[in-house]
Amino acid sequence: MEIRICIDVADMDRAIAFYTQGLGLRLGRRLRGDWTELLGGPCAIDLLCEAAGSAPLGQAHPQRRDYARHWTPLHLDFVVTDVEAAVQRAVQHGAKLERPIVQRAWGRMANLADPFGHGFDLLEFQGRGYDAILDPDQPA
């Protein structure tokens, strides 16, 4: 099975700049003017240009796209080797740092929002990474 991540954005050029320059992904293909593939992670990310206020599932659908900061139970985590540098680069390219970098048992994490209101996290694993939260007597 292949997984592809689709992210709605209101401005394709700004989105490409943010996700390539701010997060280090690379341009794959411009499939159409309103659809761009980004590569560089374990699965492709498709940017889909959709106007604010448009309906996500056809005009009869009551919800409308809104690019103000919003919360959804689904978000992306990007694993980096230097969380401070990654936060600085992301913020320089339009991300908003929503909570300062925090230390966890498995490493460090920063919570941000992209220029289109989508939340994401930057993770820097340290030591045993997620295995550090296992029972210490349990083998990793």
Side-chain angles (χ1 to χ4, degrees), residues 84-137:
E84 282 94 356
V87 166
Q88 182 178 7
R89 187 175 66 232
V91 168
Q92 286 174 342
H93 289 92
K96 291 186 177 135
L97 181 63
E98 296 191 319
R99 182 168 60 172
I101 298 166
V102 295
Q103 183 69 47
R104 303 285 189 210
W106 47 263
R108 301 170 71 213
M109 175 175 68
N111 307 107
L112 301 99
D114 77 2
F116 306 97
H118 307 301
F120 69 96
D121 297 332
L122 295 174
L123 310 178
E124 178 185 337
F125 289 123
Q126 296 174 327
R128 295 174 44 211
Y130 283 153
D131 288 341
I133 59 177
L134 296 173
D135 179 338
D137 295 329

